[in-house]
Amino acid sequence: MNLKTTIVALILAACQTTWAANPVKVQHQGNSKYLITSGNLSMVIDGGAGGKILSFKHKKKEVLSQSKDDDTYGSTFWTSPQKEWNWPPIEELDKESYVCEQRPTSLYMTSQASAKHKWAVCKEFAVDSTDNSFVITYSIINVSFEPRSVAPWEVTRVPNQNGLIFFDAEANSITPSELIPFKQEFNALWYQTDVNKEDRKVMIDGKGWIAYACNGLLLIKQFDDITKQQTAPGEAEIELYVNNGKTYIDLECQGIYKSIMPGQQLNWTVRWYLIPYDKKKTKPSAELIETVLKTIKKK
């Protein structure tokens, strides 16, 4: 078995379902795009463009950024820490084509292996009808011949349109603390989105979830809660990037930083919830917190 064949076998072996998934309705929309539907929710993923999530809707209402500019729309996946690749992100994982496979309970997408960075990624998209969540499992595979450390990193872009971003964290957990105007209320931190001429980014020690309320929708992303000591060097469990002007915001979450042996993988799951919500109530409240906690505790 040659090196290329070995790498492909390692990637496919890593892409195994790690939970009891429900049958999922997947439609191939032509070219490289796939539509997954569950009740009133729908998600579109483009296997030909880095396996990006292009759309996440409740009925006809969209929650993700639909900007036409590169790196400003949808949701993507990177390896962490960023200092290992600086910029731009690893092409094979972020922009190039994935091999797509429809299965009874999920949609699998497998990247090419990066010759330079020696990582490959598998993405599994499934639906859990017990809590009406879209379940995304990422697998990072070490295709080098030595142990290496990495953390998973999901980057979800939403429009900056008078939204509200909130999560469970302490004010002193934000670095740097002065860039974004957070308020501490109802046992959470809240950011009513604003406009600035400068790009801004902060690091946050969160508690395993981040929420975004805008235009009558509430998006909740749930992931493993990790400690500061478990994050990748120079990174954080939650990272928030606000692009200059009234454009888009990155809702970023990261998983545990750990060493992976050659041919092994790190698996990490993020659950997405999308709930219709009275936009007149889009302000810090105990009700919003209660909605989030009830939703993520159903699993």
Side-chain angles (χ1 to χ4, degrees):
M1 183 180 288
N2 61 34
L3 177 60
K4 184 176 181 180
T5 303
T6 301
I7 289 172
V8 171
L10 290 173
I11 295 171
L12 292 176
C15 298
Q16 302 297 325
T17 304
T18 56
W19 61 288
N22 304 105
V24 62
K25 184 178 181 181
V26 179
Q27 296 177 339
H28 186 199
Q29 294 192 303
N31 296 323
S32 56
K33 295 182 176 65
Y34 292 81
L35 171 68
I36 300 177
T37 56
S38 177
N40 291 322
L41 301 181
S42 63
M43 178 179 282
V44 177
I45 306 106
D46 189 353
K52 284 187 177 68
I53 301 171
L54 302 183
S55 171
F56 192 39
K57 292 181 179 179
H58 180 274
K59 295 183 178 178
K60 295 183 178 181
K61 191 174 289 187
E62 178 66 63
V63 74
L64 300 183
S65 170
Q66 297 297 294
S67 170
K68 301 302 181 183
D69 295 332
D70 200 15
D71 296 321
T72 65
Y73 65 91
S75 185
T76 189
F77 180 80
W78 299 336
T79 58
S80 177
Q82 184 173 343
K83 69 178 183 179
E84 289 193 352
W85 45 265
N86 194 22
W87 194 265
I90 300 172
E91 290 281 331
E92 292 88 349
L93 312 186
D94 183 61
K95 288 185 172 61
E96 294 187 6
S97 295
Y98 278 53
V99 175
C100 304
E101 180 185 357
Q102 292 179 242
R103 295 186 178 183
T105 60
S106 61
L107 171 67
Y108 279 83
M109 291 188 174
T110 309
S111 79
Q112 303 173 55
S114 171
K116 179 179 180 180
H117 297 281
K118 300 297 189 295
W119 297 118
V121 163
C122 180
K123 303 180 182 183
E124 177 191 22
F125 301 89
V127 172
D128 188 345
S129 60
T130 63
D131 63 359
N132 205 30
S133 63
F134 278 58
V135 185
I136 308 165
T137 299
Y138 301 99
S139 300
I140 304 175
I141 304 96
N142 179 2
V143 296
S144 75
F145 294 101
E146 60 185 8
R148 302 172 66 215
S149 295
V150 71
W153 186 357
E154 186 183 68
V155 180
T156 302
R157 293 145 183 160
V158 295
N160 187 350
Q161 296 179 347
N162 301 316
L164 182 66
I165 296 168
F166 59 104
F167 42 81
D168 185 356
E170 298 296 328
N172 60 10
S173 73
I174 299 177
T175 307
S177 59
E178 71 280 359
L179 291 184
I180 295 176
F182 289 99
K183 292 183 179 180
Q184 183 118 37
E185 297 181 271
F186 307 105
N187 297 316
L189 285 176
W190 308 78
Y191 166 48
Q192 192 77 51
T193 61
D194 64 342
V195 177
N196 195 293
K197 294 181 180 180
E198 303 292 331
D199 299 336
R200 294 168 287 167
K201 182 164 185 174
V202 295
M203 309 288 188
I204 304 143
D205 179 20
K207 299 296 181 184
W209 62 269
I210 184 170
Y212 168 76
C214 185
N215 194 30
L217 291 177
L218 175 61
L219 171 67
I220 306 166
K221 298 206 305 176
Q222 183 185 21
F223 38 89
D224 291 337
D225 181 22
I226 59 176
T227 66
K228 283 186 177 181
Q229 293 72 30
Q230 292 175 310
T231 58
E235 305 288 350
E237 179 182 315
I238 295 175
E239 301 184 5
L240 194 65
Y241 170 79
V242 183
N243 195 57
N244 67 80
K246 198 174 182 64
T247 51
Y248 72 97
I249 297 173
D250 284 353
L251 308 179
E252 307 178 16
C253 51
Q254 295 195 19
I256 191 170
Y257 180 69
K258 64 182 296 185
S259 178
I260 308 176
M261 298 298 291
Q264 299 301 306
Q265 77 278 344
L266 183 156
N267 298 323
W268 182 62
T269 298
V270 183
R271 285 178 178 258
W272 287 35
Y273 303 86
L274 190 60
I275 303 167
Y277 198 83
D278 186 351
K279 59 184 178 181
K280 295 179 181 178
K281 297 182 179 180
T282 306
K283 57 184 180 181
S285 68
E287 181 180 338
L288 263 176
I289 293 295
E290 183 180 6
T291 298
V292 170
L293 295 181
K294 282 185 176 180
T295 299
I296 65 178
K297 287 180 180 178
K298 289 179 181 177
K299 68 179 180 61

